[in-house]
Amino acid sequence: MPSRATILAIVTLAGCQARPNVAKPPATDVPVVAPAPARIAFAIISPRAGDTLVEGHRYTIHWMAPDTFRINLGAAMGGHDKGMLLRDAPAHPDSLVWNIPVGYVTGFGPASSDAMRLRLENARNPDQWTEIGPFTITGGKR
């Protein structure tokens, strides 16, 4: 049977941590603590908060997400859902050309909205999400 020091060395090499104990516990009492989960790169790169986009123009939305993710990308104006731009799509390519329709904001009366947001989420686990905004969408010429 391996010694406690050998067991601790094996556990440490595996990237785990063991609780030191001065008493000689049985070998089955060696607790193993799982390593912290790795942080994932998951973000919307553009547009950015404070940007102004114009109805009738095309913009590229860029994001970062793990290759293994399938994603949802939605838009909101203030507290109102403006719909999904992507649903259950592969994370790569990591961009979408968004042609903002004329009337996307102005069709509801205002000349612009400075309360626009985009939400990117893991389609398999919606608890993993990120959001960007607020940014502005306006009608008229740029």
Side-chain angles (χ1 to χ4, degrees):
M1 177 173 207
S3 71
R4 179 170 171 75
T6 302
I7 292 171
L8 286 174
I10 292 169
V11 170
T12 303
L13 288 174
C16 299
Q17 298 175 357
R19 178 186 64 191
N21 193 339
V22 289
K24 283 196 157 204
T28 58
D29 189 35
V30 179
V32 176
V33 177
R39 297 196 49 90
I40 56 172
F42 194 53
I44 298 173
I45 301 187
S46 67
R48 294 184 295 202
D51 284 354
T52 298
L53 311 181
V54 180
E55 292 178 345
H57 291 257
R58 299 175 79 164
Y59 299 91
T60 303
I61 301 169
H62 290 277
W63 60 83
M64 288 187 329
D67 292 340
T68 57
F69 275 24
R70 296 201 55 88
I71 60 166
N72 296 328
L73 178 65
M77 182 171 77
H80 304 285
D81 182 4
K82 291 293 285 177
M84 298 300 282
L85 304 176
L86 292 173
R87 185 181 306 271
D88 197 24
H92 286 86
D94 55 359
S95 63
L96 168 74
V97 176
W98 184 24
N99 185 15
I100 302 173
V102 173
Y104 191 76
V105 170
T106 59
F108 295 95
S112 68
S113 173
D114 61 358
M116 298 301 303
R117 296 182 328 276
L118 293 175
R119 177 181 169 120
L120 179 70
E121 64 186 24
N122 178 349
R124 303 289 188 252
N125 182 0
D127 290 337
Q128 294 176 328
W129 60 273
T130 187
E131 188 173 90
I132 192 71
F135 61 93
T136 300
I137 293 181
T138 187
K141 307 259 184 220
R142 199 181 210 187

